[in-house]
Amino acid sequence: AWARSAGLVKTYNDELVNKWKEEMDTLLVYAGLFSAVLTAFNVQSYQLLQPAPTDPTLAVLQRMSAQLASFSVNPSFVNSTLPALTPDEASPPFRPPASAVWINALWFSSLVCSLASASVALMVKQWLHELSVGVSGTSRESARIRQYRLNSLRRWQVGSIVIVIP
């Protein structure tokens, strides 16, 4: 009777661990692919938060045009009333559009959630690995260790974590 009970505990434990490991493997593949795609979107949308690079030729031409427009011509001399522009005065401070800020906040928060779920999945896989280490066979001691570890998984609500992660 003891061997049969120990065999049932071993079978239940092994099936549960294998099911959860498969779920975590699937989640890790999905989270990896999702994070890769999100990273591509983040790289492109992050550029919306930065000022557009200015062409140096265009900047010089704008500066020259402003100085030429400020010349005052008197019979005895030609004078510019506009001092040379500093780069800070030439362009107003950059403010990204609110929509770009929102889009980037959503993309980056999505990436953080994806990476966090992958991290939790890795922890669950480590817990499941530790659950099966050092326990083999169907002896009375092995059955006791398996049941103790299974009770600990329930107390730590690993099953709920596995369900909530995705």
Side-chain angles (χ1 to χ4, degrees), residues 5-79:
S5 297
L8 289 174
V9 169
K10 180 182 182 320
T11 303
Y12 175 77
N13 194 13
D14 291 345
E15 288 175 358
L16 182 67
V17 167
N18 287 334
K19 181 180 95 174
W20 284 351
K21 278 185 180 179
E22 288 175 6
E23 287 180 24
M24 293 301 102
D25 288 338
T26 303
L27 175 74
L28 286 170
V29 168
Y30 174 74
L33 291 173
F34 188 67
S35 296
V37 170
L38 278 175
T39 301
F41 283 114
N42 283 341
V43 166
Q44 291 300 316
S45 69
Y46 185 71
Q47 295 172 1
L48 299 173
L49 297 177
Q50 298 175 344
T54 57
D55 184 18
T57 307
L58 179 63
V60 169
L61 287 174
Q62 286 175 337
R63 188 175 195 173
M64 287 172 51
S65 176
Q67 283 182 335
L68 286 173
S70 71
F71 278 128
S72 63
V73 179
N74 291 331
S76 61
F77 65 91
V78 175
N79 189 15

Side-chain angles (χ1 to χ4, degrees), residues 118-128:
S119 297
V120 172
L122 283 173
M123 284 192 310
V124 169
K125 279 194 62 99
Q126 288 175 345
W127 291 337
L128 295 174

Side-chain angles (χ1 to χ4, degrees), residues 102-144:
W102 275 100
I103 288 169
N104 276 281
L106 292 173
W107 282 129
F108 278 102
S109 62
S110 177
L111 181 61
V112 166
C113 289
S114 176
L115 294 175
S117 68
S119 297
V120 172
L122 283 173
M123 284 192 310
V124 169
K125 279 194 62 99
Q126 288 175 345
W127 291 337
L128 295 174
H129 176 73
E130 291 298 320
L131 179 71
S132 57
V133 170
V135 180
S136 61
T138 57
S139 68
R140 181 175 284 209
E141 185 63 26
S142 295
R144 189 174 297 140

